[in-house]
Amino acid sequence: MEIYLDNNATTLVDPRVVEAVRAELESGPSNPSSAHSLGRRARARLSAARAEVADYLGVPSKEIYFTSGGTEALNTLILGARFTGPLLASKIDHAAMARPIEALNKSVIHLPVGPSGHIEVEDLNPGAGLIALSAANPETGVKNPLDEISAFAKEHQIPLIVDGVALLGKESFNMPAGIAAMVFSGHKFHAPKGVGVMWISSKFPLDPLLIGGGQESNRRSGTENLPGIVGLAKAIELLHTELPDATGRMCRLRDLLESSLLAAFPQVKVNGSGPRLPNTSNIAFPDIDVELLLAQLDVACIAVSLGSACSSGGLEPYHVLLNMGLDPRLARSSLRFSLSRFTTEAEIQKTLETLLPLLEVTY
């Protein structure tokens, strides 16, 4: 039995999404920009997908734009934003946000993040020209206080860009007033890879990153990936019925994993004390060679992670934990377990049956 607990890296494509993608692939050649009947029918399916996403997010359809994923969307928003004044960011955000911010070559104020794993609203600067933050950190699962941040942004009329990639599909949420743009990536909520979506307020001044044929209302040129978009829309449609029940199941199983480990080994520590996503557990195992532990779990067909696989496909330095102020030894002895709505209690129990004896060798 293979046990997959690395769902913050990517998720299983839901079988119902697979069927939707297959149907689109089998529908024949379709370019939504074409004027003939095949193109018109493709355009209608594209519009229906856009409406599905907009309905779930509670925003106008005309403000929904499809991309190749979260990285492209964040590059579009950060590099294309028109603003003056410093940019407020965090040192624990994903590279897809951090590196475009670096490339701007503008003044950046990095907000402090402590052991809680989230920023504090009182550290926000009313003189900022742009705020770019994550809704939740994919390494620890800790959520930023998005309602309070968006209220601050609205009060001080500062555009707020939110990376929502780690959030969507884990729990229900409402789009707070005060956000200028928010991005999501299909493969993080049981849709295919290679497709993402960004909501951009019509009031947010933005220059496009990709120019060409003017697709997506000139926000993102390039022929739309209609099979991927249909799959993404189907995955979002499923959230209406999967949530909030899936949230409760993931939270219960995550808590089972953590409480069992802590009961057996009190020296084990959960990283990030702030409110977390229900599916994510970042755990420090003091004095354990976690690269060896990762390999041992892999041999036992249990997939977990040392950290983000999105930067290089290899072992990323533990910059998130280090920037939260963790002792470097603790940061480098941490593993991330990330569940999905398909994770079962039997899989968590099997993981514990495998993991506890491995830890007993040291503890």
Side-chain angles (χ1 to χ4, degrees), residues 40-77:
R40 292 195 300 273
R41 291 198 293 271
R43 191 156 55 251
R45 296 194 297 276
L46 176 63
S47 295
R50 200 183 310 277
E52 182 68 53
V53 175
D55 176 69
Y56 185 81
L57 296 178
V59 300
S61 290
K62 66 180 181 179
E63 295 180 344
I64 293 294
Y65 307 94
F66 294 108
T67 69
S68 65
T71 296
E72 181 198 321
L74 287 169
N75 273 263
T76 297
L77 295 174

PDB file of all heavy atoms in Angstrom, residues 40-77:
ATOM      1  N   ARG A  40     -16.823  28.547 -31.390  1.00  0.00           N
ATOM      2  CA  ARG A  40     -17.885  29.141 -30.580  1.00  0.00           C
ATOM      3  C   ARG A  40     -18.296  28.208 -29.442  1.00  0.00           C
ATOM      4  O   ARG A  40     -18.541  28.651 -28.315  1.00  0.00           O
ATOM      5  CB  ARG A  40     -19.091  29.479 -31.459  1.00  0.00           C
ATOM      6  CG  ARG A  40     -18.833  30.606 -32.445  1.00  0.00           C
ATOM      7  CD  ARG A  40     -20.136  31.142 -33.027  1.00  0.00           C
ATOM      8  NE  ARG A  40     -20.905  30.129 -33.746  1.00  0.00           N
ATOM      9  CZ  ARG A  40     -20.743  29.830 -35.031  1.00  0.00           C
ATOM     10  NH1 ARG A  40     -19.802  30.458 -35.737  1.00  0.00           N
ATOM     11  NH2 ARG A  40     -21.510  28.918 -35.613  1.00  0.00           N
ATOM     12  N   ARG A  41     -18.347  26.909 -29.752  1.00  0.00           N
ATOM     13  CA  ARG A  41     -18.699  25.956 -28.686  1.00  0.00           C
ATOM     14  C   ARG A  41     -17.598  25.899 -27.629  1.00  0.00           C
ATOM     15  O   ARG A  41     -17.873  25.779 -26.426  1.00  0.00           O
ATOM     16  CB  ARG A  41     -18.965  24.580 -29.284  1.00  0.00           C
ATOM     17  CG  ARG A  41     -20.243  24.522 -30.123  1.00  0.00           C
ATOM     18  CD  ARG A  41     -20.716  23.091 -30.323  1.00  0.00           C
ATOM     19  NE  ARG A  41     -19.811  22.304 -31.153  1.00  0.00           N
ATOM     20  CZ  ARG A  41     -19.889  22.218 -32.476  1.00  0.00           C
ATOM     21  NH1 ARG A  41     -20.830  22.896 -33.135  1.00  0.00           N
ATOM     22  NH2 ARG A  41     -19.052  21.453 -33.148  1.00  0.00           N
ATOM     23  N   ALA A  42     -16.348  25.971 -28.080  1.00  0.00           N
ATOM     24  CA  ALA A  42     -15.236  26.000 -27.120  1.00  0.00           C
ATOM     25  C   ALA A  42     -15.308  27.250 -26.251  1.00  0.00           C
ATOM     26  O   ALA A  42     -15.069  27.200 -25.042  1.00  0.00           O
ATOM     27  CB  ALA A  42     -13.906  25.946 -27.864  1.00  0.00           C
ATOM     28  N   ARG A  43     -15.650  28.367 -26.869  1.00  0.00           N
ATOM     29  CA  ARG A  43     -15.762  29.620 -26.120  1.00  0.00           C
ATOM     30  C   ARG A  43     -16.871  29.534 -25.076  1.00  0.00           C
ATOM     31  O   ARG A  43     -16.750  30.073 -23.966  1.00  0.00           O
ATOM     32  CB  ARG A  43     -16.003  30.774 -27.093  1.00  0.00           C
ATOM     33  CG  ARG A  43     -15.877  32.152 -26.470  1.00  0.00           C
ATOM     34  CD  ARG A  43     -15.536  33.222 -27.505  1.00  0.00           C
ATOM     35  NE  ARG A  43     -16.483  33.254 -28.622  1.00  0.00           N
ATOM     36  CZ  ARG A  43     -16.213  32.849 -29.868  1.00  0.00           C
ATOM     37  NH1 ARG A  43     -15.008  32.375 -30.156  1.00  0.00           N
ATOM     38  NH2 ARG A  43     -17.109  32.932 -30.832  1.00  0.00           N
ATOM     39  N   ALA A  44     -17.954  28.848 -25.432  1.00  0.00           N
ATOM     40  CA  ALA A  44     -19.040  28.672 -24.469  1.00  0.00           C
ATOM     41  C   ALA A  44     -18.593  27.829 -23.278  1.00  0.00           C
ATOM     42  O   ALA A  44     -18.946  28.122 -22.124  1.00  0.00           O
ATOM     43  CB  ALA A  44     -20.237  28.022 -25.158  1.00  0.00           C
ATOM     44  N   ARG A  45     -17.803  26.791 -23.539  1.00  0.00           N
ATOM     45  CA  ARG A  45     -17.304  25.957 -22.429  1.00  0.00           C
ATOM     46  C   ARG A  45     -16.317  26.742 -21.573  1.00  0.00           C
ATOM     47  O   ARG A  45     -16.281  26.585 -20.340  1.00  0.00           O
ATOM     48  CB  ARG A  45     -16.663  24.687 -22.980  1.00  0.00           C
ATOM     49  CG  ARG A  45     -17.655  23.782 -23.707  1.00  0.00           C
ATOM     50  CD  ARG A  45     -17.110  22.393 -23.952  1.00  0.00           C
ATOM     51  NE  ARG A  45     -15.938  22.351 -24.809  1.00  0.00           N
ATOM     52  CZ  ARG A  45     -15.968  22.347 -26.143  1.00  0.00           C
ATOM     53  NH1 ARG A  45     -17.139  22.423 -26.781  1.00  0.00           N
ATOM     54  NH2 ARG A  45     -14.858  22.263 -26.859  1.00  0.00           N
ATOM     55  N   LEU A  46     -15.501  27.587 -22.212  1.00  0.00           N
ATOM     56  CA  LEU A  46     -14.584  28.441 -21.466  1.00  0.00           C
ATOM     57  C   LEU A  46     -15.360  29.413 -20.576  1.00  0.00           C
ATOM     58  O   LEU A  46     -15.024  29.607 -19.399  1.00  0.00           O
ATOM     59  CB  LEU A  46     -13.682  29.213 -22.435  1.00  0.00           C
ATOM     60  CG  LEU A  46     -12.709  30.225 -21.834  1.00  0.00           C
ATOM     61  CD1 LEU A  46     -11.693  29.545 -20.916  1.00  0.00           C
ATOM     62  CD2 LEU A  46     -11.978  30.992 -22.940  1.00  0.00           C
ATOM     63  N   SER A  47     -16.421  29.991 -21.117  1.00  0.00           N
ATOM     64  CA  SER A  47     -17.239  30.918 -20.334  1.00  0.00           C
ATOM     65  C   SER A  47     -17.917  30.215 -19.165  1.00  0.00           C
ATOM     66  O   SER A  47     -18.025  30.770 -18.059  1.00  0.00           O
ATOM     67  CB  SER A  47     -18.294  31.571 -21.235  1.00  0.00           C
ATOM     68  OG  SER A  47     -17.685  32.376 -22.227  1.00  0.00           O
ATOM     69  N   ALA A  48     -18.366  28.985 -19.400  1.00  0.00           N
ATOM     70  CA  ALA A  48     -19.002  28.230 -18.320  1.00  0.00           C
ATOM     71  C   ALA A  48     -18.011  27.925 -17.202  1.00  0.00           C
ATOM     72  O   ALA A  48     -18.342  28.008 -16.005  1.00  0.00           O
ATOM     73  CB  ALA A  48     -19.595  26.935 -18.868  1.00  0.00           C
ATOM     74  N   ALA A  49     -16.774  27.569 -17.579  1.00  0.00           N
ATOM     75  CA  ALA A  49     -15.743  27.311 -16.570  1.00  0.00           C
ATOM     76  C   ALA A  49     -15.436  28.581 -15.781  1.00  0.00           C
ATOM     77  O   ALA A  49     -15.293  28.551 -14.558  1.00  0.00           O
ATOM     78  CB  ALA A  49     -14.479  26.782 -17.252  1.00  0.00           C
ATOM     79  N   ARG A  50     -15.356  29.692 -16.480  1.00  0.00           N
ATOM     80  CA  ARG A  50     -15.074  30.969 -15.818  1.00  0.00           C
ATOM     81  C   ARG A  50     -16.189  31.310 -14.820  1.00  0.00           C
ATOM     82  O   ARG A  50     -15.937  31.773 -13.698  1.00  0.00           O
ATOM     83  CB  ARG A  50     -14.935  32.070 -16.871  1.00  0.00           C
ATOM     84  CG  ARG A  50     -14.192  33.311 -16.383  1.00  0.00           C
ATOM     85  CD  ARG A  50     -14.139  34.412 -17.437  1.00  0.00           C
ATOM     86  NE  ARG A  50     -13.675  33.945 -18.743  1.00  0.00           N
ATOM     87  CZ  ARG A  50     -12.400  33.811 -19.069  1.00  0.00           C
ATOM     88  NH1 ARG A  50     -11.459  34.107 -18.176  1.00  0.00           N
ATOM     89  NH2 ARG A  50     -12.061  33.395 -20.278  1.00  0.00           N
ATOM     90  N   ALA A  51     -17.428  31.065 -15.253  1.00  0.00           N
ATOM     91  CA  ALA A  51     -18.564  31.351 -14.377  1.00  0.00           C
ATOM     92  C   ALA A  51     -18.561  30.460 -13.140  1.00  0.00           C
ATOM     93  O   ALA A  51     -18.912  30.902 -12.039  1.00  0.00           O
ATOM     94  CB  ALA A  51     -19.870  31.184 -15.155  1.00  0.00           C
ATOM     95  N   GLU A  52     -18.148  29.200 -13.306  1.00  0.00           N
ATOM     96  CA  GLU A  52     -18.085  28.271 -12.174  1.00  0.00           C
ATOM     97  C   GLU A  52     -17.093  28.759 -11.123  1.00  0.00           C
ATOM     98  O   GLU A  52     -17.370  28.761  -9.919  1.00  0.00           O
ATOM     99  CB  GLU A  52     -17.693  26.879 -12.660  1.00  0.00           C
ATOM    100  CG  GLU A  52     -17.651  25.819 -11.573  1.00  0.00           C
ATOM    101  CD  GLU A  52     -19.018  25.489 -11.010  1.00  0.00           C
ATOM    102  OE1 GLU A  52     -19.915  25.183 -11.804  1.00  0.00           O
ATOM    103  OE2 GLU A  52     -19.171  25.555  -9.773  1.00  0.00           O
ATOM    104  N   VAL A  53     -15.915  29.168 -11.581  1.00  0.00           N
ATOM    105  CA  VAL A  53     -14.888  29.661 -10.660  1.00  0.00           C
ATOM    106  C   VAL A  53     -15.361  30.948  -9.982  1.00  0.00           C
ATOM    107  O   VAL A  53     -15.223  31.119  -8.763  1.00  0.00           O
ATOM    108  CB  VAL A  53     -13.563  29.898 -11.408  1.00  0.00           C
ATOM    109  CG1 VAL A  53     -12.527  30.520 -10.468  1.00  0.00           C
ATOM    110  CG2 VAL A  53     -13.039  28.594 -11.997  1.00  0.00           C
ATOM    111  N   ALA A  54     -15.929  31.855 -10.778  1.00  0.00           N
ATOM    112  CA  ALA A  54     -16.388  33.126 -10.233  1.00  0.00           C
ATOM    113  C   ALA A  54     -17.476  32.924  -9.183  1.00  0.00           C
ATOM    114  O   ALA A  54     -17.491  33.593  -8.139  1.00  0.00           O
ATOM    115  CB  ALA A  54     -16.897  34.023 -11.365  1.00  0.00           C
ATOM    116  N   ASP A  55     -18.385  31.985  -9.457  1.00  0.00           N
ATOM    117  CA  ASP A  55     -19.469  31.712  -8.514  1.00  0.00           C
ATOM    118  C   ASP A  55     -18.921  31.225  -7.177  1.00  0.00           C
ATOM    119  O   ASP A  55     -19.374  31.659  -6.113  1.00  0.00           O
ATOM    120  CB  ASP A  55     -20.417  30.670  -9.115  1.00  0.00           C
ATOM    121  CG  ASP A  55     -21.513  30.261  -8.138  1.00  0.00           C
ATOM    122  OD1 ASP A  55     -22.386  31.091  -7.845  1.00  0.00           O
ATOM    123  OD2 ASP A  55     -21.485  29.105  -7.660  1.00  0.00           O
ATOM    124  N   TYR A  56     -17.932  30.338  -7.224  1.00  0.00           N
ATOM    125  CA  TYR A  56     -17.372  29.823  -5.971  1.00  0.00           C
ATOM    126  C   TYR A  56     -16.671  30.921  -5.181  1.00  0.00           C
ATOM    127  O   TYR A  56     -16.787  30.986  -3.958  1.00  0.00           O
ATOM    128  CB  TYR A  56     -16.398  28.682  -6.254  1.00  0.00           C
ATOM    129  CG  TYR A  56     -15.896  28.033  -4.986  1.00  0.00           C
ATOM    130  CD1 TYR A  56     -16.667  27.082  -4.326  1.00  0.00           C
ATOM    131  CD2 TYR A  56     -14.664  28.376  -4.430  1.00  0.00           C
ATOM    132  CE1 TYR A  56     -16.229  26.494  -3.150  1.00  0.00           C
ATOM    133  CE2 TYR A  56     -14.215  27.797  -3.255  1.00  0.00           C
ATOM    134  CZ  TYR A  56     -15.005  26.861  -2.618  1.00  0.00           C
ATOM    135  OH  TYR A  56     -14.574  26.294  -1.452  1.00  0.00           O
ATOM    136  N   LEU A  57     -15.950  31.779  -5.886  1.00  0.00           N
ATOM    137  CA  LEU A  57     -15.191  32.839  -5.201  1.00  0.00           C
ATOM    138  C   LEU A  57     -16.067  34.036  -4.853  1.00  0.00           C
ATOM    139  O   LEU A  57     -15.650  34.898  -4.077  1.00  0.00           O
ATOM    140  CB  LEU A  57     -14.014  33.282  -6.073  1.00  0.00           C
ATOM    141  CG  LEU A  57     -12.939  32.229  -6.346  1.00  0.00           C
ATOM    142  CD1 LEU A  57     -11.869  32.797  -7.272  1.00  0.00           C
ATOM    143  CD2 LEU A  57     -12.311  31.727  -5.053  1.00  0.00           C
ATOM    144  N   GLY A  58     -17.239  34.127  -5.452  1.00  0.00           N
ATOM    145  CA  GLY A  58     -18.124  35.250  -5.181  1.00  0.00           C
ATOM    146  C   GLY A  58     -17.662  36.545  -5.821  1.00  0.00           C
ATOM    147  O   GLY A  58     -17.782  37.621  -5.221  1.00  0.00           O
ATOM    148  N   VAL A  59     -17.155  36.439  -7.051  1.00  0.00           N
ATOM    149  CA  VAL A  59     -16.646  37.608  -7.769  1.00  0.00           C
ATOM    150  C   VAL A  59     -17.240  37.611  -9.178  1.00  0.00           C
ATOM    151  O   VAL A  59     -17.759  36.588  -9.648  1.00  0.00           O
ATOM    152  CB  VAL A  59     -15.102  37.604  -7.852  1.00  0.00           C
ATOM    153  CG1 VAL A  59     -14.490  37.625  -6.451  1.00  0.00           C
ATOM    154  CG2 VAL A  59     -14.601  36.382  -8.627  1.00  0.00           C
ATOM    155  N   PRO A  60     -17.173  38.747  -9.902  1.00  0.00           N
ATOM    156  CA  PRO A  60     -17.689  38.776 -11.276  1.00  0.00           C
ATOM    157  C   PRO A  60     -16.864  37.894 -12.209  1.00  0.00           C
ATOM    158  O   PRO A  60     -15.639  37.820 -12.091  1.00  0.00           O
ATOM    159  CB  PRO A  60     -17.560  40.261 -11.671  1.00  0.00           C
ATOM    160  CG  PRO A  60     -17.460  41.005 -10.376  1.00  0.00           C
ATOM    161  CD  PRO A  60     -16.758  40.089  -9.426  1.00  0.00           C
ATOM    162  N   SER A  61     -17.525  37.251 -13.154  1.00  0.00           N
ATOM    163  CA  SER A  61     -16.828  36.388 -14.115  1.00  0.00           C
ATOM    164  C   SER A  61     -15.776  37.150 -14.898  1.00  0.00           C
ATOM    165  O   SER A  61     -14.720  36.593 -15.244  1.00  0.00           O
ATOM    166  CB  SER A  61     -17.833  35.764 -15.094  1.00  0.00           C
ATOM    167  OG  SER A  61     -18.645  34.825 -14.451  1.00  0.00           O
ATOM    168  N   LYS A  62     -16.042  38.410 -15.195  1.00  0.00           N
ATOM    169  CA  LYS A  62     -15.114  39.187 -16.019  1.00  0.00           C
ATOM    170  C   LYS A  62     -13.796  39.456 -15.304  1.00  0.00           C
ATOM    171  O   LYS A  62     -12.837  39.921 -15.930  1.00  0.00           O
ATOM    172  CB  LYS A  62     -15.758  40.506 -16.435  1.00  0.00           C
ATOM    173  CG  LYS A  62     -16.033  41.455 -15.274  1.00  0.00           C
ATOM    174  CD  LYS A  62     -16.674  42.753 -15.741  1.00  0.00           C
ATOM    175  CE  LYS A  62     -16.919  43.711 -14.583  1.00  0.00           C
ATOM    176  NZ  LYS A  62     -17.534  44.985 -15.044  1.00  0.00           N
ATOM    177  N   GLU A  63     -13.728  39.159 -14.002  1.00  0.00           N
ATOM    178  CA  GLU A  63     -12.494  39.377 -13.246  1.00  0.00           C
ATOM    179  C   GLU A  63     -11.719  38.076 -13.013  1.00  0.00           C
ATOM    180  O   GLU A  63     -10.756  38.066 -12.237  1.00  0.00           O
ATOM    181  CB  GLU A  63     -12.822  40.060 -11.913  1.00  0.00           C
ATOM    182  CG  GLU A  63     -13.395  41.464 -12.097  1.00  0.00           C
ATOM    183  CD  GLU A  63     -13.734  42.166 -10.794  1.00  0.00           C
ATOM    184  OE1 GLU A  63     -13.815  41.496  -9.737  1.00  0.00           O
ATOM    185  OE2 GLU A  63     -13.926  43.391 -10.825  1.00  0.00           O
ATOM    186  N   ILE A  64     -12.107  37.008 -13.680  1.00  0.00           N
ATOM    187  CA  ILE A  64     -11.429  35.714 -13.577  1.00  0.00           C
ATOM    188  C   ILE A  64     -10.582  35.492 -14.823  1.00  0.00           C
ATOM    189  O   ILE A  64     -11.064  35.619 -15.955  1.00  0.00           O
ATOM    190  CB  ILE A  64     -12.446  34.560 -13.438  1.00  0.00           C
ATOM    191  CG1 ILE A  64     -13.184  34.662 -12.100  1.00  0.00           C
ATOM    192  CG2 ILE A  64     -11.766  33.207 -13.569  1.00  0.00           C
ATOM    193  CD1 ILE A  64     -12.293  34.450 -10.870  1.00  0.00           C
ATOM    194  N   TYR A  65      -9.289  35.141 -14.608  1.00  0.00           N
ATOM    195  CA  TYR A  65      -8.357  34.953 -15.720  1.00  0.00           C
ATOM    196  C   TYR A  65      -7.589  33.654 -15.497  1.00  0.00           C
ATOM    197  O   TYR A  65      -7.058  33.415 -14.415  1.00  0.00           O
ATOM    198  CB  TYR A  65      -7.381  36.134 -15.812  1.00  0.00           C
ATOM    199  CG  TYR A  65      -8.083  37.470 -15.868  1.00  0.00           C
ATOM    200  CD1 TYR A  65      -8.312  38.202 -14.699  1.00  0.00           C
ATOM    201  CD2 TYR A  65      -8.537  37.985 -17.076  1.00  0.00           C
ATOM    202  CE1 TYR A  65      -8.979  39.416 -14.738  1.00  0.00           C
ATOM    203  CE2 TYR A  65      -9.203  39.201 -17.127  1.00  0.00           C
ATOM    204  CZ  TYR A  65      -9.429  39.906 -15.960  1.00  0.00           C
ATOM    205  OH  TYR A  65     -10.088  41.105 -16.007  1.00  0.00           O
ATOM    206  N   PHE A  66      -7.507  32.834 -16.540  1.00  0.00           N
ATOM    207  CA  PHE A  66      -6.833  31.546 -16.434  1.00  0.00           C
ATOM    208  C   PHE A  66      -5.362  31.669 -16.828  1.00  0.00           C
ATOM    209  O   PHE A  66      -5.003  32.441 -17.727  1.00  0.00           O
ATOM    210  CB  PHE A  66      -7.540  30.508 -17.296  1.00  0.00           C
ATOM    211  CG  PHE A  66      -8.930  30.196 -16.820  1.00  0.00           C
ATOM    212  CD1 PHE A  66     -10.041  30.629 -17.522  1.00  0.00           C
ATOM    213  CD2 PHE A  66      -9.120  29.497 -15.638  1.00  0.00           C
ATOM    214  CE1 PHE A  66     -11.327  30.359 -17.078  1.00  0.00           C
ATOM    215  CE2 PHE A  66     -10.400  29.220 -15.170  1.00  0.00           C
ATOM    216  CZ  PHE A  66     -11.507  29.652 -15.894  1.00  0.00           C
ATOM    217  N   THR A  67      -4.527  30.902 -16.131  1.00  0.00           N
ATOM    218  CA  THR A  67      -3.079  30.927 -16.338  1.00  0.00           C
ATOM    219  C   THR A  67      -2.561  29.487 -16.388  1.00  0.00           C
ATOM    220  O   THR A  67      -3.331  28.536 -16.310  1.00  0.00           O
ATOM    221  CB  THR A  67      -2.359  31.665 -15.192  1.00  0.00           C
ATOM    222  OG1 THR A  67      -2.453  30.867 -13.991  1.00  0.00           O
ATOM    223  CG2 THR A  67      -2.968  33.043 -14.931  1.00  0.00           C
ATOM    224  N   SER A  68      -1.240  29.352 -16.459  1.00  0.00           N
ATOM    225  CA  SER A  68      -0.634  28.019 -16.430  1.00  0.00           C
ATOM    226  C   SER A  68      -0.404  27.525 -15.009  1.00  0.00           C
ATOM    227  O   SER A  68       0.007  26.380 -14.810  1.00  0.00           O
ATOM    228  CB  SER A  68       0.694  28.029 -17.185  1.00  0.00           C
ATOM    229  OG  SER A  68       1.630  28.865 -16.512  1.00  0.00           O
ATOM    230  N   GLY A  69      -0.633  28.361 -14.004  1.00  0.00           N
ATOM    231  CA  GLY A  69      -0.424  27.961 -12.619  1.00  0.00           C
ATOM    232  C   GLY A  69      -0.154  29.147 -11.719  1.00  0.00           C
ATOM    233  O   GLY A  69      -0.206  30.311 -12.149  1.00  0.00           O
ATOM    234  N   GLY A  70       0.168  28.842 -10.469  1.00  0.00           N
ATOM    235  CA  GLY A  70       0.395  29.892  -9.491  1.00  0.00           C
ATOM    236  C   GLY A  70       1.616  30.741  -9.780  1.00  0.00           C
ATOM    237  O   GLY A  70       1.613  31.953  -9.560  1.00  0.00           O
ATOM    238  N   THR A  71       2.687  30.115 -10.279  1.00  0.00           N
ATOM    239  CA  THR A  71       3.923  30.862 -10.533  1.00  0.00           C
ATOM    240  C   THR A  71       3.705  31.934 -11.586  1.00  0.00           C
ATOM    241  O   THR A  71       4.102  33.096 -11.406  1.00  0.00           O
ATOM    242  CB  THR A  71       5.046  29.910 -10.963  1.00  0.00           C
ATOM    243  OG1 THR A  71       5.347  29.017  -9.889  1.00  0.00           O
ATOM    244  CG2 THR A  71       6.309  30.679 -11.329  1.00  0.00           C
ATOM    245  N   GLU A  72       3.078  31.561 -12.694  1.00  0.00           N
ATOM    246  CA  GLU A  72       2.813  32.556 -13.729  1.00  0.00           C
ATOM    247  C   GLU A  72       1.906  33.670 -13.204  1.00  0.00           C
ATOM    248  O   GLU A  72       2.130  34.857 -13.465  1.00  0.00           O
ATOM    249  CB  GLU A  72       2.161  31.901 -14.950  1.00  0.00           C
ATOM    250  CG  GLU A  72       1.891  32.899 -16.075  1.00  0.00           C
ATOM    251  CD  GLU A  72       0.879  32.408 -17.088  1.00  0.00           C
ATOM    252  OE1 GLU A  72       0.907  31.202 -17.425  1.00  0.00           O
ATOM    253  OE2 GLU A  72       0.053  33.232 -17.529  1.00  0.00           O
ATOM    254  N   ALA A  73       0.885  33.296 -12.453  1.00  0.00           N
ATOM    255  CA  ALA A  73      -0.060  34.282 -11.939  1.00  0.00           C
ATOM    256  C   ALA A  73       0.626  35.273 -11.001  1.00  0.00           C
ATOM    257  O   ALA A  73       0.403  36.488 -11.093  1.00  0.00           O
ATOM    258  CB  ALA A  73      -1.212  33.577 -11.233  1.00  0.00           C
ATOM    259  N   LEU A  74       1.465  34.771 -10.109  1.00  0.00           N
ATOM    260  CA  LEU A  74       2.148  35.666  -9.174  1.00  0.00           C
ATOM    261  C   LEU A  74       3.148  36.566  -9.902  1.00  0.00           C
ATOM    262  O   LEU A  74       3.288  37.747  -9.575  1.00  0.00           O
ATOM    263  CB  LEU A  74       2.839  34.853  -8.083  1.00  0.00           C
ATOM    264  CG  LEU A  74       1.890  34.230  -7.059  1.00  0.00           C
ATOM    265  CD1 LEU A  74       2.617  33.232  -6.174  1.00  0.00           C
ATOM    266  CD2 LEU A  74       1.230  35.309  -6.209  1.00  0.00           C
ATOM    267  N   ASN A  75       3.853  36.014 -10.881  1.00  0.00           N
ATOM    268  CA  ASN A  75       4.748  36.848 -11.689  1.00  0.00           C
ATOM    269  C   ASN A  75       3.965  37.941 -12.400  1.00  0.00           C
ATOM    270  O   ASN A  75       4.396  39.096 -12.465  1.00  0.00           O
ATOM    271  CB  ASN A  75       5.502  35.986 -12.699  1.00  0.00           C
ATOM    272  CG  ASN A  75       6.781  35.398 -12.133  1.00  0.00           C
ATOM    273  OD1 ASN A  75       7.864  35.926 -12.333  1.00  0.00           O
ATOM    274  ND2 ASN A  75       6.646  34.293 -11.408  1.00  0.00           N
ATOM    275  N   THR A  76       2.804  37.581 -12.950  1.00  0.00           N
ATOM    276  CA  THR A  76       1.966  38.558 -13.644  1.00  0.00           C
ATOM    277  C   THR A  76       1.570  39.698 -12.719  1.00  0.00           C
ATOM    278  O   THR A  76       1.684  40.889 -13.077  1.00  0.00           O
ATOM    279  CB  THR A  76       0.701  37.875 -14.196  1.00  0.00           C
ATOM    280  OG1 THR A  76       1.082  36.902 -15.164  1.00  0.00           O
ATOM    281  CG2 THR A  76      -0.237  38.882 -14.840  1.00  0.00           C
ATOM    282  N   LEU A  77       1.115  39.350 -11.536  1.00  0.00           N
ATOM    283  CA  LEU A  77       0.604  40.362 -10.619  1.00  0.00           C
ATOM    284  C   LEU A  77       1.708  41.229 -10.034  1.00  0.00           C
ATOM    285  O   LEU A  77       1.564  42.454  -9.933  1.00  0.00           O
ATOM    286  CB  LEU A  77      -0.176  39.683  -9.490  1.00  0.00           C
ATOM    287  CG  LEU A  77      -1.446  38.940  -9.917  1.00  0.00           C
ATOM    288  CD1 LEU A  77      -2.045  38.196  -8.743  1.00  0.00           C
ATOM    289  CD2 LEU A  77      -2.457  39.907 -10.504  1.00  0.00           C
TER     290      LEU A  77
END
